[in-house]
């Protein structure tokens, strides 16, 4: 089995040393590399808990692998690196992480999903005011994108705001026996 070939055609060259004569034999073959049948069955998606955030607010990101088929599917990974997210093609969650070099797998029963949750802390990794693209990826099985917006934090209410509110509605508040203390 040859891993790591892109979908399409590839030329493979094999060198073989014949034991009896010591001659070096060469063979070439062109192979067609197709997409994994499992990969084509999986639907990857990404979503956030909100579409708009205030500057400095934490963003909850969910990356999901969905098995929409009637068969159990096993997602095989070459390490503990199973999923990732990228914001605006500049910030990649996994870029400063270390992953276990061990084969891992996720079993998806028929018509089920697997969710991975991330918290993007904009206090640590700030995002500018405006619209941002978030791409979530199930490594080796697909990706999807969503957009969010970052807005400026609202200013605090002006000094005396609540006092003026209370004086303007003080009679109504007293008539309705609301304790404002």
């Amino acid at each position: 089995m040859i891993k790591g070939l892109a979908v399409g055609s590839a030329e493979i060259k094999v060198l073989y040393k014949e034991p009896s004569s010591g001659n070096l034999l060469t063979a070439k073959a062109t192979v067609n590399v197709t997409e994994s049948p499992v990969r084509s069955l999986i639907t990857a998606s990404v979503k956030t808990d909100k579409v708009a955030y205030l500057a400095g607010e934490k963003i909850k990101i969910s990356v999901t692998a969905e098995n929409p088929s009637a068969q159990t599917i096993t997602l095989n990974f070459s390490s503990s690196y199973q999923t990732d997210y990228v914001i605006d093609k500049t910030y990649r969650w996994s870029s400063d992480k270390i992953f276990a070099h061990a084969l891992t797998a996720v079993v998806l029963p028929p018509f089920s999903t697997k969710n991975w949750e991330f918290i993007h802390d904009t206090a640590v990794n700030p995002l500018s005011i405006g619209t941002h693209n978030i791409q979530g990826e199930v490594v080796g099985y697909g990706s999807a994108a969503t957009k969010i917006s970052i807005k400026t934090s609202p200013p605090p209410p002006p000094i005396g705001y609540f006092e003026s509110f209370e004086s303007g509605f003080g009679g109504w508040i007293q008539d309705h026996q609301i304790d404002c203390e």
Side-chain angles (χ1 to χ4, degrees), residues 18-165:
E18 190 176 72
S20 60
S21 68
N23 292 335
L24 191 59
L25 304 174
T26 306
K28 288 184 185 178
T30 301
V31 296
N32 288 320
V33 180
T34 59
E35 189 171 48
S36 160
V38 170
R39 180 182 166 109
S40 64
L41 290 175
I42 296 301
T43 303
S45 63
V46 62
K47 68 178 183 174
T48 56
D49 58 327
K50 301 189 301 185
V51 295
Y53 298 85
L54 297 176
E57 195 173 1
K58 292 181 180 180
I59 302 167
K60 182 178 176 183
I61 301 168
S62 299
V63 178
T64 303
E66 179 185 3
N67 175 6
S69 74
Q71 62 187 3
T72 297
I73 294 176
T74 301
L75 306 180
N76 292 301
F77 301 95
S78 60
S79 72
S80 62
Y81 177 50
Q82 298 178 345
T83 189
D84 205 348
Y85 74 89
V86 177
I87 299 180
D88 296 333
K89 297 182 181 177
T90 58
Y91 173 83
R92 177 176 289 276
W93 171 81
S94 64
S95 66
D96 62 351
K97 309 289 185 280
I98 297 173
F99 300 93
H101 294 285
L103 298 177
T104 59
V106 172
V107 177
L108 290 172
F111 309 108
S112 68
T113 60
K114 164 67 175 158
N115 294 309
W116 291 266
E117 302 283 330
F118 300 93
I119 301 293
H120 182 84
D121 189 347
T122 59
V124 177
N125 296 296
L127 297 175
S128 61
I129 304 302
T131 302
H132 297 275
N133 186 57
I134 298 177
Q135 181 174 356
E137 176 187 11
V138 179
V139 177
Y141 293 94
S143 64
T146 190
K147 291 190 181 297
I148 61 163
S149 63
I150 304 294
K151 301 176 185 247
T152 58
S153 299
I159 296 174
Y161 174 79
F162 292 108
E163 289 83 6
S164 65
F165 174 81

